[in-house]
Amino acid sequence: SKVTRDNNHKYKLGEHQFNKSVTELVSKNNNNFSNTPDSEIRKDGGTVIHEMAARIINAKTTGKNYDDVRNYAKTKPLGFTIDNKIVDSIILGVENFISSVEAKQAAINTMNKTTDKVTWVVEQPIIDPLRDIAGTPDLIAIYSDGTFDIVDFKTFEGKEAIKGLKLDKYDAQVTEYKKMLKSPQYGFEQGNGIVLPINLKYTYNKNNPEGQKLSRNMKLAEMSADQATSPDYLKYIPVA
């Protein structure tokens, strides 16, 4: 049977509903979530960027062009206006990360005298029946030597905001995913966790409804295009 997930992060395998999800578990231990209009825009903006990143990975790793990504942006997902500069920036950032993963696999191939490729698992649910928990990592890169990278895309607003990212929360989230991959369900032994920061800014809402300053118009998206030269606030963050 296929694992399914609803909009409330409830997972089912056949008729069995898992007792908890990684999202629920982490949320219970971090009571810092805001429900202001601006926080809702930031949350939705993050959802849209995650979807774009997933489509970019799927296209890049299957040899397709980015028409699907660009067409998605044109639909104004969740009401957001996204211009070509935003799309190009996310494509460049995701491509750079893919290149870093492929370089790691190339080093493994050189060491083992193989020609293997990375296995990409994009936004697919994983489970641990023994602990009765399920979750959906943004991305898992599985290398031919049996190791893995769990990747978490995280949007923030402004250069200083990266310092405020609650890395303990993300560390806890990725740690849960690692436990699941190391469980008897999958049997992996070793892997890493990585947070990919995305600086995402919005224009201000000129009408300025009470309590809302941001609009659903993305004006800037920044990701690392080169880890050697990127500013610190865009560098990948190892966690877990």
Side-chain angles (χ1 to χ4, degrees):
S1 298
K2 183 179 180 180
V3 179
T4 60
R5 177 186 65 173
D6 65 19
N7 292 332
N8 295 314
H9 297 281
K10 300 293 184 183
Y11 290 82
K12 292 185 72 174
L13 177 61
E15 295 300 316
H16 174 72
Q17 179 170 305
F18 287 87
N19 182 53
K20 54 187 176 291
S21 73
V22 173
T23 299
E24 291 173 327
L25 195 65
V26 173
S27 296
K28 287 179 181 178
N29 295 328
N30 291 272
N31 299 315
N32 297 310
F33 294 95
S34 171
N35 291 315
T36 66
D38 283 348
S39 68
E40 189 72 16
I41 288 174
R42 292 186 180 101
K43 178 177 73 68
D44 287 349
T47 298
V48 169
I49 294 297
H50 275 72
E51 178 63 25
M52 289 176 59
R55 291 174 184 240
I56 293 166
I57 294 166
N58 283 326
K60 179 67 174 177
T61 58
T62 58
K64 298 178 181 178
N65 61 35
Y66 295 126
D67 287 351
D68 177 59
V69 182
R70 298 189 187 282
N71 289 334
Y72 171 73
K74 289 176 183 178
T75 66
K76 299 189 70 173
L78 297 182
F80 285 94
T81 299
I82 308 169
D83 64 24
N84 286 330
K85 288 183 179 180
I86 299 290
V87 178
D88 290 342
S89 180
I90 299 300
I91 288 174
L92 182 61
V94 174
E95 282 186 337
N96 178 66
F97 179 72
I98 290 173
S99 295
S100 72
V101 170
E102 290 177 339
K104 188 173 178 179
Q105 178 61 57
I108 294 170
N109 286 341
T110 299
M111 182 180 298
N112 297 331
K113 297 182 179 180
T114 55
T115 57
D116 297 320
K117 294 184 178 181
V118 179
T119 298
W120 301 91
V121 183
V122 184
E123 291 192 340
Q124 293 297 312
I126 59 175
I127 61 175
D128 184 349
L130 294 179
R131 297 171 58 225
D132 206 17
I133 187 172
T136 305
D138 292 340
L139 172 66
I140 306 172
I142 303 172
Y143 301 96
S144 62
D145 64 355
T147 61
F148 62 84
D149 285 333
I150 298 175
V151 183
D152 203 8
F153 296 99
K154 290 299 175 190
T155 57
F156 63 97
E157 188 181 2
K159 298 177 183 180
E160 295 301 316
I162 186 65
K163 299 176 183 178
L165 283 180
K166 300 184 183 304
L167 293 182
D168 56 341
K169 180 182 76 173
Y170 304 133
D171 186 86
Q173 185 177 19
V174 174
T175 294
E176 287 298 327
Y177 293 140
K178 287 179 69 174
K179 286 180 182 178
M180 293 161 74
L181 290 179
K182 291 181 178 181
S183 74
Q185 180 72 20
Y186 303 102
F188 289 96
E189 294 183 1
Q190 186 176 354
N192 301 304
I194 305 169
V195 168
L196 264 61
I198 304 172
N199 183 18
L200 187 60
K201 288 189 175 183
Y202 311 86
T203 59
Y204 281 92
N205 191 333
K206 295 180 180 179
N207 295 325
N208 197 23
E210 185 176 354
Q212 180 176 327
K213 295 180 180 179
L214 303 180
S215 73
R216 289 182 181 263
N217 180 39
M218 295 182 184
K219 73 173 184 178
L220 174 71
E222 282 186 302
M223 289 184 70
S224 171
D226 181 349
Q227 282 291 283
T229 59
S230 288
D232 287 344
Y233 66 91
L234 292 178
K235 290 188 183 299
Y236 307 153
I237 305 170
V239 293

